[in-house]
Amino acid sequence: MFELAQPKHRSSLRIRLGKEFYISKRKLQWLTQMPKWAKFRSQVEHDHHCFSHQSLIRRPLRDVEMYLQDNKRVNLEIALKRLNNLVIAPGESFSFWKFVGRPTAKRGFLEGLVLKSGKIETGIGGGLCQLGNLLFWMMAHSPLTITERHRHGFDVFPDVNRNIPFGAGATLAYNYIDLRCINNTTRSFKLHLWLDETHLHGQLKTDTALNETFEVIERNHEIKQQAWGGYSRHNEVWRLTQVNGEPLREQLLAKNDAVMMYNPFLESS
């Protein structure tokens, strides 16, 4: 039986110092490794649809002030200005934080919802994980190779109107908890991202038509009670690729092991 360790509680000082250490470490990696980064290219046409997705901006969450979700919209607007129309050419890499930068009040980011150790709190730049989730879901439905993706260590909200597999997203924290991919194909991919009154939208387009089709599925979903009394949730997220309707390959994209912050077996009233 898979055992998940009981969550540990660390002091705020230790968390803050650890965070700055890992931020500095990641900045050093950016300076020393220097991959070929994606660029903004207006001269290349991307007329072929790869995948599109949308997600609701304002979600009715219990005991959560709605102004925090309005602030999330502002944070998303700032991030989209740094990502919309970005082109990932063959051999180039994408990094969420490399392009968005550090979310600070000085740059206009507002206080929004963040998850810390399974608890809902507030923080500058809160809500950007919604964009990380959308980007991961689009990349998962493409031939792009996801090179870095981090899972949520806690399952905070029960499944209500969930239409994608559990754990099919990406958590973010500047800058060492990142979402990255590399384009190992011969095609060029362009991100088109925007907001309307109710939803965050994303499209992934290519410069040449794709022969492949992609499906993302969940496998081996389990809920287990741990020896320390809590529950944990586990699954795998796979990408299935077909060409002309024939199976080509199966790829494991994510393996999720999360502590559940609610009783999964409570009966609904």
Side-chain angles (χ1 to χ4, degrees):
M1 177 179 177
F2 183 90
E3 291 191 5
L4 202 59
Q6 185 172 7
K8 296 180 179 179
H9 299 282
R10 295 182 170 88
S11 69
S12 58
L13 177 60
R14 179 176 176 179
I15 292 173
R16 185 161 57 251
L17 292 176
K19 181 177 180 179
E20 292 303 323
F21 169 79
Y22 286 110
I23 287 174
S24 299
K25 184 178 179 181
R26 178 54 60 94
K27 287 182 177 179
L28 181 61
Q29 289 177 353
W30 284 345
L31 291 172
T32 56
Q33 295 178 1
M34 296 184 66
K36 291 177 60 180
W37 295 112
K39 298 180 178 65
F40 293 96
R41 296 177 173 91
S42 59
Q43 70 275 17
V44 180
E45 296 295 329
H46 294 77
D47 299 326
H48 302 275
H49 178 265
C50 178
F51 189 74
S52 59
H53 189 57
Q54 65 179 27
S55 59
L56 188 66
I57 298 171
R58 291 168 58 95
R59 300 176 183 273
L61 300 175
R62 182 179 178 182
D63 299 328
V64 172
E65 297 286 348
M66 289 306 296
Y67 84 89
L68 293 170
Q69 299 206 49
D70 293 332
N71 288 357
K72 176 180 69 173
R73 182 185 182 91
V74 174
N75 295 337
L76 289 171
E77 288 174 344
I78 298 172
L80 293 189
K81 291 178 182 178
R82 306 297 299 271
L83 298 178
N84 184 36
N85 294 323
L86 193 68
V87 175
I88 313 172
E92 292 184 343
S93 295
F94 167 87
S95 160
F96 183 93
W97 290 122
K98 178 67 177 177
F99 290 99
V100 172
R102 189 163 189 165
T104 62
K106 186 176 181 180
R107 295 183 59 214
F109 287 94
L110 302 178
E111 186 179 58
L113 293 176
V114 296
L115 293 180
K116 292 183 179 179
S117 302
K119 297 180 180 180
I120 300 176
E121 299 184 9
T122 60
I124 298 298
L128 291 179
C129 282
Q130 181 172 347
L131 179 53
N133 292 338
L134 181 135
L135 289 169
F136 174 83
W137 191 240
M138 291 198 303
M139 292 173 184
H141 287 84
S142 79
L144 294 170
T145 301
I146 298 171
T147 55
E148 181 177 348
R149 172 264 180 191
H150 298 267
R151 61 177 173 84
H152 289 279
F154 298 88
D155 179 18
V156 179
F157 304 111
D159 292 356
V160 177
N161 299 323
R162 184 192 294 275
N163 54 20
I164 64 175
F166 164 71
T171 186
L172 297 165
Y174 183 82
N175 57 0
Y176 57 95
I177 298 180
D178 201 0
L179 175 63
R180 294 180 61 168
C181 74
I182 187 170
N183 182 2
N184 288 323
T185 77
T186 58
R187 302 180 181 92
S188 179
F189 292 83
K190 185 175 184 178
L191 292 174
H192 182 35
L193 304 164
W194 74 99
L195 296 168
D196 63 19
E197 290 299 317
T198 58
H199 287 77
L200 167 66
H201 297 264
Q203 284 185 342
L204 190 61
K205 296 184 176 182
T206 68
D207 57 348
T208 57
L210 293 173
N211 298 320
E212 309 99 315
T213 58
F214 306 93
E215 182 182 8
V216 180
I217 65 169
E218 175 186 59
R219 287 177 176 167
N220 301 319
H221 180 266
E222 292 183 282
I223 293 176
K224 298 179 179 179
Q225 186 167 19
Q226 298 297 318
W228 43 270
Y231 292 92
S232 61
R233 189 172 187 176
H234 316 269
N235 76 343
E236 297 171 350
V237 179
W238 288 76
R239 173 166 59 195
L240 311 183
T241 305
Q242 293 186 340
V243 176
N244 299 322
E246 296 296 324
L248 177 63
R249 70 176 67 90
E250 298 184 358
Q251 297 168 284
L252 176 64
L253 295 180
K255 186 176 181 347
N256 298 295
D257 302 301
V259 174
M260 302 185 74
M261 304 305 290
Y262 57 93
N263 187 334
F265 303 117
L266 286 177
E267 294 183 2
S268 59
S269 58

